[in-house]
Amino acid sequence: MSERVHSPGDDASRDDHTARETLEAARERFEQAEARIDDAGGDAVAEAAEAYRDATDLLESYVDRATGTGRENFQAYLELEGKFDSLVSGLPDELKGREAFEDALDAIDKRRLSESDFERAHEALEPAEQYAQLLEEREAAREAIDEARTDAAKRYRALGEETDDHERLLELGNADIDAPVEELRAPLETYNEAIDEAFTAYRLEASAREVFALLERSRWYPFVEYEQPPADLAAYVRDDPAGKYTIPELLEYADYSRSKLDHYVDSADELKRQVATQRTFLDGIDAGPLSLEWPPREAPVLQRKTREIRPFVERVADEETVARVRKIRRLTTDPEFEFDRLQTAAQAVDQLTPTERERLADGRVAAELEELRAERARLEAALDVDDPI
């Protein structure tokens, strides 16, 4: 038998198995904790645990104040003895572990207390401690379930992403790689060249204030991903008279000496401080966010992209370039153009690696997809189980 080649499906199965095991183990731990509480008396366990916590809290709050021979120490001891006696006297006769509380009271029933007396009181309470531990274990088990559910939910989402990736890989594997993708590439490349040339000219003509207004407008268009300028630079370009200059002019002026720069702007120092320190940002304002990627995304994505960039193209380019955007958008809906076929083929040619082609050819991708779906279904079933509140 040939050695099995490692694939993403191996990791999916292992990670999913671990997530389910952890969740199921946490649920079993909780059920066992509940069963031990029921075996020990149910509600009576909670009463005993509460009494134990009250008693230990009382001892802890007085251990420093009630030990010693001073007057204040004696007063604190009297307070402790009175409160502890009231606590024990108020306990139901049938309380589980009640004798432990009486023994603890006996341990501190003396005129002077030392730390060893408090230790003996704590030791006397140990028979009742088990009830508090039962509740603590149940709470820890509940928290373990919450944590395991969170991890399992993350794994479930990751399996969904891996499933989508495999489905897309199979779609690419079925693509017609002999399709005439140049028919789709040509209009996109022609547009990209046109918008790049137009934006270069726009930078040379438009004021920095106008360009920054364009960037500000892009905030409301998710597919027009211009980086926003730093707040100080934006305020300078908006409010200072120097904002009337183009970005190339501002970058050129930033290299001038202060004496020469005084002929162009009100404050040479302010221009250098705002512009010279942001040269990388200013140089990076280009047509990139208005360009269309190759290979293109699916038709709905390209439709949204062309719709959002068109108002910006209208601001920086001529009508011919705007028309190219409209043409590309029409291609996504023209049934005679077969956009989906060409787009899938372009994606396949561009994205499929030799290894992926091999895995598609020998059926591994299809097998992994089925495994991912099955594992996701099992994990979904595990997550659907109602958990304790």
Side-chain angles (χ1 to χ4, degrees):
M1 178 182 290
S2 61
E3 182 180 355
R4 184 181 179 189
V5 178
H6 175 80
S7 68
D10 297 322
D11 290 332
S13 177
R14 183 166 53 251
D15 292 346
D16 169 69
H17 182 68
T18 301
R20 285 187 293 112
E21 273 194 335
T22 302
L23 181 56
E24 291 166 359
R27 287 184 175 131
E28 183 178 354
R29 177 184 174 185
F30 183 86
E31 292 170 0
Q32 291 175 350
E34 283 272 67
R36 285 193 289 269
I37 290 173
D38 291 341
D39 292 343
D43 292 340
V45 171
E47 294 177 1
E50 182 179 5
Y52 171 79
R53 286 192 291 266
D54 290 343
T56 54
D57 288 346
L58 196 57
L59 291 173
E60 291 296 333
S61 66
Y62 277 93
V63 64
D64 294 326
R65 292 184 288 156
T67 53
T69 58
R71 187 172 183 178
E72 293 181 356
N73 300 120
F74 183 69
Q75 181 63 36
Y77 157 70
L78 293 177
E79 291 178 9
L80 169 62
E81 186 181 40
K83 291 179 179 180
F84 208 96
D85 182 70
S86 296
L87 186 153
V88 175
S89 299
L91 296 177
D93 291 340
E94 67 278 7
L95 183 77
K96 288 182 172 296
R98 193 181 194 288
E99 291 183 1
F101 297 93
E102 295 172 350
D103 292 342
L105 178 59
D106 291 340
I108 60 171
D109 186 15
K110 51 177 63 178
R111 293 185 60 83
R112 292 287 183 268
L113 293 178
S114 64
E115 290 187 6
S116 61
D117 295 319
F118 279 88
E119 291 174 1
R120 282 193 294 273
H122 278 292
E123 291 173 359
L125 287 171
E126 285 180 359
E129 183 181 8
Q130 60 178 308
Y131 303 111
Q133 290 176 339
L134 287 173
L135 297 186
E136 290 169 1
E137 168 58 15
R138 183 175 63 181
E139 183 59 28
R142 180 183 286 113
E143 292 175 358
I145 289 177
D146 291 340
E147 183 177 345
R149 280 187 64 85
T150 298
D151 291 342
K154 289 180 180 178
R155 182 59 195 152
Y156 179 77
R157 290 191 293 271
L159 283 169
E161 294 173 0
E162 291 183 49
T163 299
D164 291 342
D165 289 343
H166 277 64
E167 289 174 346
R168 179 58 175 164
L169 203 55
L170 279 178
E171 182 182 356
L172 294 178
N174 294 325
D176 179 6
I177 60 175
D178 295 324
V181 295
E182 188 59 31
E183 294 179 9
L184 179 57
R185 185 198 301 269
L188 268 66
E189 288 187 347
T190 301
Y191 162 75
N192 284 341
E193 291 171 0
I195 192 61
D196 187 65
E197 182 178 340
F199 201 93
T200 299
Y202 175 73
R203 275 176 57 97
L204 294 172
E205 298 168 0
S207 69
R209 191 171 298 144
E210 181 181 341
V211 175
F212 274 34
L214 191 77
L215 302 187
E216 172 66 24
R217 186 181 182 187
S218 73
R219 288 177 182 271
W220 311 109
Y221 295 82
F223 281 78
V224 186
E225 299 178 295
Y226 274 111
E227 179 184 356
Q228 295 302 307
D232 289 348
L233 178 61
Y236 175 73
V237 168
R238 182 184 65 245
D239 301 331
D240 195 279
K244 67 183 179 182
Y245 293 115
T246 67
I247 289 175
E249 286 173 333
L250 289 177
L251 291 171
E252 180 183 350
Y253 295 161
D255 292 331
Y256 286 2
S257 66
R258 282 175 172 75
S259 59
K260 183 178 180 180
L261 194 52
D262 284 338
H263 297 292
Y264 297 91
V265 295
D266 294 339
S267 173
D269 287 338
E270 184 67 6
L271 184 140
K272 285 183 172 292
R273 187 172 71 84
Q274 295 293 348
V275 177
T277 59
Q278 296 295 339
R279 182 176 295 276
T280 300
F281 170 78
L282 293 168
D283 280 332
I285 301 174
D286 57 23
L290 302 181
S291 301
L292 299 175
E293 65 180 320
W294 180 265
R297 298 281 301 279
E298 296 78 6
V301 178
L302 186 57
Q303 290 167 11
R304 176 73 181 274
K305 172 79 172 183
T306 52
R307 182 170 66 247
E308 291 196 6
I309 66 173
R310 196 178 75 178
F312 295 86
V313 176
E314 290 172 346
R315 291 276 294 272
V316 306
D318 57 20
E319 178 56 33
E320 183 179 356
T321 305
V322 177
R324 295 184 189 281
V325 176
R326 295 194 190 100
K327 178 183 178 181
I328 292 169
R329 180 174 172 79
R330 286 196 299 271
L331 291 178
T332 63
T333 58
D334 184 354
E336 295 185 2
F337 184 72
E338 296 186 301
F339 176 88
D340 291 342
R341 172 174 170 249
L342 296 178
Q343 185 269 344
T344 303
Q347 292 276 354
V349 172
D350 183 78
Q351 295 181 8
L352 288 179
T353 66
T355 300
E356 287 171 336
R357 292 179 188 275
E358 181 182 339
R359 289 172 52 223
L360 283 164
D362 63 18
R364 275 179 289 169
V365 174
E368 290 165 9
L369 177 58
E370 291 306 309
E371 184 179 344
L372 285 167
R373 287 171 174 166
E375 294 291 350
R376 193 164 188 255
R378 287 192 287 269
L379 190 54
E380 182 177 18
L383 285 167
D384 282 344
V385 176
D386 290 332
D387 285 320
I389 299 175

